[in-house]
Amino acid sequence: MINTTAYNSLTQQLKSQNVLLVAVSKMKPVADIQALYDLGQRDFGENYVQELLEKQSKLPADIRWHFIGHLQANKVKYIAPFVHLIHSVDKQSLLKEIDKQAKKNERTIDVLLQLYIAKEETKFGLDEAELQYILDNKYKFPHVSITGLMGMASFSDNLEEVRKEFQHLKSVFEKYNSQELSKISTGMSNDYQLAIEEGSNIVRIGSLLFGNRS
Ligand SMILES: *Cc1c(COP(=O)(O)O)cnc(C)c1O
């Protein structure tokens, strides 16, 4: 079941703020994605390659699929023909594989670099030195286009801490602005307002639209 009221007010708000909504549909059925599609939503995010492939084969071809989860290099080949944006590049070796598969498919794949901003040890992401290294070497990967940064804040009720993490990502973004970065993907159901206040222009929202995942 999708929350139509939440979707309508969210899209209205995000439109006025020029923020892209990625509807995160992981663990949700094809019927729910189709229902949101029928309301006009075209950008959907998934975390697992196998699940994405199954859904992609059953849903309209004009959906823009965003890959937002941790991506293993050996699975890049499956999504390379169609993926719209990979948010979660957390290793140079992964970027190299994306470049290789993009070339095979005679396309360029847009990606974001995932910066590690949370306090938790469990989240994936690059530190700033690794980010800098990748940006300095991006000419080696002509079939990928690095268009921005992605981050996940700590899972915390401490909003000031979360805000600081978003501000940190924004300051790194500004430091590398000459690198043609334009996108900031931060913000989920619980913290997207804060994320937008701190510069996010892509939000990844699941439970607010689709209900809680069991
Ligand atoms: C699941 C997930 C989301 C969406 O989370 P909600 O709290 O359901 O909005 C966003 N980004 C990533 C990377 C996710 O894994």
Side-chain angles (χ1 to χ4, degrees):
M1 272 285 280
I2 60 163
N3 186 336
T4 305
T5 314
Y7 177 71
N8 287 336
S9 66
L10 188 61
T11 44
Q12 208 167 3
Q13 181 203 335
L14 297 182
K15 206 173 176 185
S16 72
Q17 295 174 311
N18 252 315
V19 173
L20 176 70
L21 171 63
V22 175
V24 175
S25 45
K26 62 171 178 243
M27 297 158 78
K28 294 294 173 183
V30 163
D32 285 1
I33 301 173
Q34 183 68 51
L36 213 56
Y37 178 94
D38 292 341
L39 295 177
Q41 180 65 21
R42 290 295 177 272
D43 292 88
F44 289 90
E46 288 283 343
N47 291 55
Y48 307 102
V49 169
Q50 191 56 39
E51 186 178 346
L52 170 55
L53 294 175
E54 276 168 31
K55 288 173 172 174
Q56 192 257 351
S57 69
K58 292 178 186 149
L59 284 155
D62 65 341
I63 287 181
R64 293 183 288 267
W65 291 105
H66 297 245
F67 195 85
I68 64 170
H70 178 61
L71 180 57
Q72 287 171 298
N74 62 0
K75 299 206 170 146
V76 172
K77 58 178 176 286
Y78 301 115
I79 63 171
F82 66 88
V83 70
H84 178 67
L85 178 65
I86 298 174
H87 291 227
S88 42
V89 172
D90 58 5
K91 271 197 202 101
Q92 171 157 302
S93 55
L94 177 60
L95 199 66
K96 189 175 174 196
E97 180 64 17
I98 295 169
D99 183 64
K100 180 178 157 192
Q101 297 300 332
K103 185 178 182 200
K104 267 193 188 165
N105 286 277
E106 298 178 332
R107 61 177 299 220
T108 300
I109 296 179
D110 286 352
V111 306
L112 307 178
L113 300 180
Q114 181 172 357
L115 187 68
Y116 181 83
I117 56 171
K119 288 257 182 291
E120 291 125 61
E121 280 298 321
T122 54
K123 287 183 177 155
F124 295 100
L126 303 159
D127 64 29
E128 214 193 308
E130 294 167 322
L131 182 97
Q132 161 122 46
Y133 184 81
I134 288 180
L135 288 172
D136 288 346
N137 287 281
K138 67 176 183 180
Y139 66 90
K140 293 178 182 165
F141 309 111
H143 294 86
V144 296
S145 174
I146 300 171
T147 60
L149 303 183
M150 183 271 217
M152 286 178 86
S154 296
F155 187 75
S156 166
D157 293 332
N158 183 346
L159 292 186
E160 280 318 300
E161 173 55 36
V162 171
R163 185 185 294 279
K164 275 195 203 127
E165 293 170 3
F166 290 145
Q167 284 172 342
H168 171 58
L169 185 131
K170 183 76 193 297
S171 72
V172 173
F173 175 86
E174 267 156 11
K175 192 165 157 192
Y176 297 104
N177 226 353
S178 57
Q179 300 273 355
E180 295 158 1
L181 306 179
S182 64
K183 294 171 182 166
I184 299 182
S185 168
T186 51
M188 322 199 323
S189 293
N190 287 328
D191 58 18
Y192 74 93
Q193 306 272 17
L194 207 57
I196 293 168
E197 281 171 33
E198 300 305 335
S200 176
N201 51 24
I202 304 180
V203 292
R204 309 175 309 265
I205 297 192
S207 44
L208 190 65
L209 302 172
F210 292 107
N212 288 327
R213 293 172 296 272
S214 48

